[in-house]
Amino acid sequence: MTTPAPLDFGFALLLNAIVLVGLVQVIGLALSRLLPGWLDRPSLAAGLFVGVVSILLMKISATFMPGVIFDTRSVLLSISGLFLGPVPTLIGMAMAAAYRWSLGGAAALTGVSVILASGLIGLIWRRFIRRPPVEIDWVTLLGLGVVVHFVMLALMLTLPWEIARSVLTTISLPVMLIYPLLTLALGLLLVEYLRRRGDLAALVEQEARYRSMFEDNRSVMLLVDPETGAIVDANAAAEQFYGWPRDRLTAMRAQDIVARSPGNAEGGGQWGSDTGHGHYEFQHRRADGTVKDVEVFSGPITIAGRTVVYSIVHDISARKAAEAALERSEARREQEHRRALQEQEQGRLTAVRLMEEAITAKRALEESERSFRLLTEQVPAIIYRALPEEPARVVYVSPRVSELGYSTTEWLDDPDFWVDLIHPDDRKRVLDELQEWSCSGGPLSLEYRLRTSAGCWRNIQNFGECIDETGQPAYLQGLMLDVTEREEDRQRLRNLSAIVERSPVVAMTWRNEPGWPLVYVSDNVTQFGYRPKDFLSGRIDHASLIHPEDLPQIEREVAGYLAHGPDDYLQEYRMRHGQGHWFWVEDHTWLTRD
């Protein structure tokens, strides 16, 4: 009986191993294009894949003697059991066993036994490691390879003794040197594939989420190329505001819609060309030729390696008109006040016309009162006067009280009318603060909710001060501002904070003080294997988690950024997980300067 030399037979097994890796790569690539995610959700296709590859391996196997062949199907079936689960593995085992039995020979039963043992050991390995496939480490894979092929060698004893002795003498060393390492290599290849699939899926999901935030936002949003000023993209709100379709907007430049730049609220930069964070005021032209006052908040973002300016545009035409009206009203009041003073001065200098001076003074007083009433009608707030009683009795209220749906008569005729409009949850607190103010005096500041005639609740901020004129009873004079929109802005800010906490990105904030104390850590730091309080309590120092080989470079780069800028930078380094292993992180840091 002639048998191959161990070196020649080992070389034949090595060639078979190379073919296995190549077949897995080629067929796996084809299945990934035809059936995306076939390895993520193992099914019939995965089982057929395992069976076909096993048959191909047996067709090019290393022949020890007629009827006794060796190949790397044991590696494939054990890896299938570990990664794909029962159904695909059983399908592959059935196909491989049927084909091996059809080949016949003295080792047919032994070959089928090896097929069954390899798949079952892989399934048992999967059952007891209790980890997702992407978390399988090299120790697990190498251990699987050693156990499977130790069992394979033991099954050689089912052959007749002379054949078994010859087989074990020839193949034991090549098998234990090549097959466990091949199991490790093929397993790591599948782990890497699954990790890349997971990273790609996360990236696609993140892109879809941010795209939805851009497309569905009711605020006007534009992306502008800082080099050319070209509008790269615009959302639906921008189409509605400017009146141009998106394809027309993206064919324009930022300069094409700027009618005039009345001033930059932060004193620098030019919209579209400034890649820093900015707040600007412009006049923008729309498709119908109208011009709107707008304020633009912009900052740089990177999309597919390209830096663009992300701009949010707010229409402030109504606010500008109100500010202009207020300035005109203030100018008229100042002019009338100066005229009244001149008339009074002239009357005092004319001693012989004392009666005329009194009449002039009276007219000036009436004019001042008229000016005051005119001012109360122009100022965008409700002005009132009240006697400090319990409750305070309103003796004057400006006509702007009609914005709440009431008339001035309703407020003046019933002393308790304004009290009944306060929200029940705020009423006692407001009355207590009024009583405390009547005892201590000084400026008055109240915040409460007030019911409109339509039944809606508005947030009101009330400022007042005690006026004590000589010979007259003291009275409370003040104004009430509707700050409902400001409270809604605060709620939106709280919602934005909630979005940050739900984001998959871990957010941290340090204070620029000795020791760099950490003041904020988002809850999703648990994905790194730590709790937020581990960092905030000082029990864990972030620098101590950075890989020792990466730490010196990180410290040099941070020192350079602090000294010379820029205000944001990107770093990649290895960080120790709470479970002890190292993983790569992408660290994007912004420096906020007071």
Side-chain angles (χ1 to χ4, degrees), residues 384 430 433-438 441-446 462-466 476-477 479:
Y384 65 91
V430 172
E433 291 182 6
L434 275 174
Q435 183 177 10
E436 181 181 351
W437 169 83
S438 65
L444 175 67
S445 178
L446 298 172
N462 190 333
F463 300 97
E465 190 169 2
C466 184
L476 173 65
Q477 179 168 301
L479 55 85

Side-chain angles (χ1 to χ4, degrees), residues 488-535:
E488 292 174 352
D489 289 341
R490 289 178 177 174
Q491 183 61 38
R492 282 192 289 270
L493 182 59
R494 287 191 289 269
N495 293 339
L496 180 59
S497 298
I499 291 174
V500 172
E501 288 296 333
R502 293 185 178 94
S503 169
V505 177
V506 176
M508 297 182 177
T509 302
W510 288 268
R511 185 179 291 113
N512 185 9
E513 295 179 2
W516 286 89
L518 192 64
V519 298
Y520 171 75
V521 180
S522 59
D523 291 338
N524 53 15
V525 75
T526 54
Q527 66 181 284
F528 291 170
Y530 305 101
R531 300 171 298 177
K533 66 180 182 180
D534 294 336
F535 291 92

Side-chain angles (χ1 to χ4, degrees), residues 50-333:
V50 174
V52 169
V53 175
S54 297
I55 293 172
L56 291 175
L57 291 174
M58 284 186 278
K59 282 185 172 295
I60 57 173
S61 60
T63 301
F64 183 82
M65 64 176 56
V68 181
I69 61 174
F70 290 91
D71 50 66
T72 54
R73 61 184 181 271
S74 58
V75 175
L76 178 62
L77 291 170
S78 62
I79 287 295
S80 172
L82 178 61
F83 283 89
L84 302 183
V87 175
T89 303
L90 292 174
I91 293 173
M93 289 164 59
M95 293 176 62
Y99 181 75
R100 179 62 187 95
W101 185 260
S102 68
L103 294 179
L109 180 59
T110 303
V112 172
S113 300
V114 170
I115 290 172
L116 298 178
S118 301
L120 291 176
I121 292 174
L123 292 174
I124 293 171
W125 223 256
R126 176 188 178 93
R127 175 69 175 83
F128 284 99
I129 63 170
R130 297 182 181 275
R131 277 182 289 173
V134 293
E135 296 181 7
I136 296 176
D137 56 18
W138 69 271
V139 176
T140 301
L141 294 169
L142 189 59
L144 173 64
V146 171
V147 172
V148 167
H149 296 100
F150 180 80
V151 172
M152 183 188 82
L153 293 177
L155 289 174
M156 296 300 105
L157 296 176
T158 61
L159 295 169
W161 171 245
E162 288 299 326
I163 298 177
R165 184 174 59 80
S166 179
V167 167
L168 291 174
T169 302
T170 304
I171 73 168
S172 295
L173 182 60
V175 165
M176 295 310 293
L177 286 178
I178 296 174
Y179 281 34
L181 294 178
L182 179 60
T183 305
L184 173 63
L186 187 58
L188 292 177
L189 183 66
L190 294 178
V191 169
E192 181 64 21
Y193 171 82
L194 291 174
R195 286 177 179 172
R196 290 186 180 179
R197 289 283 302 175
D199 293 343
L200 179 60
L203 183 62
V204 170
E205 180 183 356
Q206 184 180 16
E207 172 66 19
R209 181 167 59 252
Y210 284 117
R211 189 67 190 177
S212 175
M213 291 173 62
F214 178 79
E215 292 290 347
D216 301 335
N217 203 302
R218 290 185 292 178
S219 298
V220 177
M221 296 184 178
L222 300 171
L223 297 180
V224 181
D225 189 327
E227 296 182 358
T228 64
I231 298 176
V232 177
D233 201 356
N235 66 353
E239 293 183 86
Q240 183 178 2
F241 176 72
Y242 289 109
W244 285 298
R246 181 173 304 186
D247 56 353
R248 176 66 186 279
L249 278 171
T250 53
M252 302 169 65
R253 298 186 307 159
Q255 297 87 333
D256 297 335
I257 62 176
V258 176
R260 186 169 66 88
S261 177
N264 176 359
E266 301 210 354
Q270 186 68 24
W271 177 48
S273 62
D274 187 356
T275 56
H277 294 275
H279 172 206
Y280 313 96
E281 290 188 1
F282 297 96
Q283 286 185 332
H284 278 189
R285 182 182 297 105
R286 304 199 296 178
D288 58 4
T290 58
V291 175
K292 290 288 187 178
D293 290 297
V294 298
E295 62 179 357
V296 180
F297 297 88
S298 65
I301 62 172
T302 301
I303 301 177
R306 175 187 180 188
T307 300
V308 296
V309 176
Y310 179 81
S311 298
I312 301 177
V313 181
H314 294 293
D315 184 359
I316 58 171
S317 299
R319 190 187 79 188
K320 285 291 187 181
E323 291 175 353
L326 182 61
E327 290 176 359
R328 291 193 298 271
S329 174
E330 183 66 20
R332 287 197 300 269
R333 190 194 69 80

Side-chain angles (χ1 to χ4, degrees), residues 238-559:
E239 293 183 86
Q240 183 178 2
F241 176 72
Y242 289 109
W244 285 298
R246 181 173 304 186
D247 56 353
R248 176 66 186 279
L249 278 171
T250 53
M252 302 169 65
R253 298 186 307 159
Q255 297 87 333
D256 297 335
I257 62 176
V258 176
R260 186 169 66 88
S261 177
N264 176 359
E266 301 210 354
Q270 186 68 24
W271 177 48
S273 62
D274 187 356
T275 56
H277 294 275
H279 172 206
Y280 313 96
E281 290 188 1
F282 297 96
Q283 286 185 332
H284 278 189
R285 182 182 297 105
R286 304 199 296 178
D288 58 4
T290 58
V291 175
K292 290 288 187 178
D293 290 297
V294 298
E295 62 179 357
V296 180
F297 297 88
S298 65
I301 62 172
T302 301
I303 301 177
R306 175 187 180 188
T307 300
V308 296
V309 176
Y310 179 81
S311 298
I312 301 177
V313 181
H314 294 293
D315 184 359
I316 58 171
S317 299
R319 190 187 79 188
K320 285 291 187 181
E323 291 175 353
L326 182 61
E327 290 176 359
R328 291 193 298 271
S329 174
E330 183 66 20
R332 287 197 300 269
R333 190 194 69 80
E334 290 292 337
Q335 184 179 3
E336 291 171 356
H337 183 65
R338 286 194 299 270
R339 184 166 57 248
L341 291 177
Q342 290 173 358
E343 291 175 355
Q344 292 176 9
E345 182 66 20
Q346 183 179 3
R348 283 194 294 268
L349 294 177
T350 311
V352 294
R353 301 178 61 186
L354 186 58
M355 184 60 69
E356 184 178 357
E357 179 183 341
I359 295 174
T360 303
K362 180 179 179 181
R363 289 177 179 174
L365 183 60
E366 292 174 350
E367 188 68 12
S368 177
E369 181 67 16
R370 187 185 69 82
S371 299
F372 172 77
R373 292 183 179 274
L374 179 62
L375 175 62
T376 61
E377 295 174 3
Q378 296 294 330
V379 171
I382 300 172
I383 299 178
Y384 65 91
R385 286 181 181 176
L387 297 178
E389 302 175 355
E390 285 191 37
R393 182 164 64 87
V394 178
V395 296
Y396 170 77
V397 64
S398 64
R400 282 194 175 269
V401 76
S402 62
E403 295 178 355
L404 298 177
Y406 306 108
S407 65
T408 57
T409 305
E410 290 177 286
W411 282 67
L412 299 178
D413 291 348
D414 185 0
D416 297 326
F417 180 77
W418 70 275
V419 177
D420 295 334
L421 301 181
I422 300 176
H423 195 284
D425 295 341
D426 301 337
R427 190 174 299 154
K428 183 177 183 306
R429 174 179 56 79
V430 172
L431 294 177
D432 291 344
E433 291 182 6
L434 275 174
Q435 183 177 10
E436 181 181 351
W437 169 83
S438 65
C439 298
S440 60
L444 175 67
S445 178
L446 298 172
E447 291 190 10
Y448 50 88
R449 290 164 288 180
L450 205 65
R451 187 180 70 249
T452 67
S453 62
C456 301
W457 295 102
R458 305 294 292 178
N459 294 88
I460 300 297
Q461 195 163 22
N462 190 333
F463 300 97
E465 190 169 2
C466 184
I467 306 299
D468 190 3
E469 297 181 346
T470 303
Q472 299 293 332
Y475 62 90
L476 173 65
Q477 179 168 301
L479 55 85
M480 294 185 292
L481 297 173
D482 188 341
V483 295
T484 304
E485 286 74 15
R486 187 189 69 186
E487 293 300 321
E488 292 174 352
D489 289 341
R490 289 178 177 174
Q491 183 61 38
R492 282 192 289 270
L493 182 59
R494 287 191 289 269
N495 293 339
L496 180 59
S497 298
I499 291 174
V500 172
E501 288 296 333
R502 293 185 178 94
S503 169
V505 177
V506 176
M508 297 182 177
T509 302
W510 288 268
R511 185 179 291 113
N512 185 9
E513 295 179 2
W516 286 89
L518 192 64
V519 298
Y520 171 75
V521 180
S522 59
D523 291 338
N524 53 15
V525 75
T526 54
Q527 66 181 284
F528 291 170
Y530 305 101
R531 300 171 298 177
K533 66 180 182 180
D534 294 336
F535 291 92
L536 297 176
S537 65
R539 189 174 68 85
I540 295 179
D541 181 13
H542 177 257
S544 67
L545 303 180
I546 299 175
H547 197 282
E549 296 177 3
D550 300 338
L551 183 59
Q553 178 66 22
I554 297 300
E555 291 177 340
R556 287 193 298 271
E557 292 180 359
V558 169

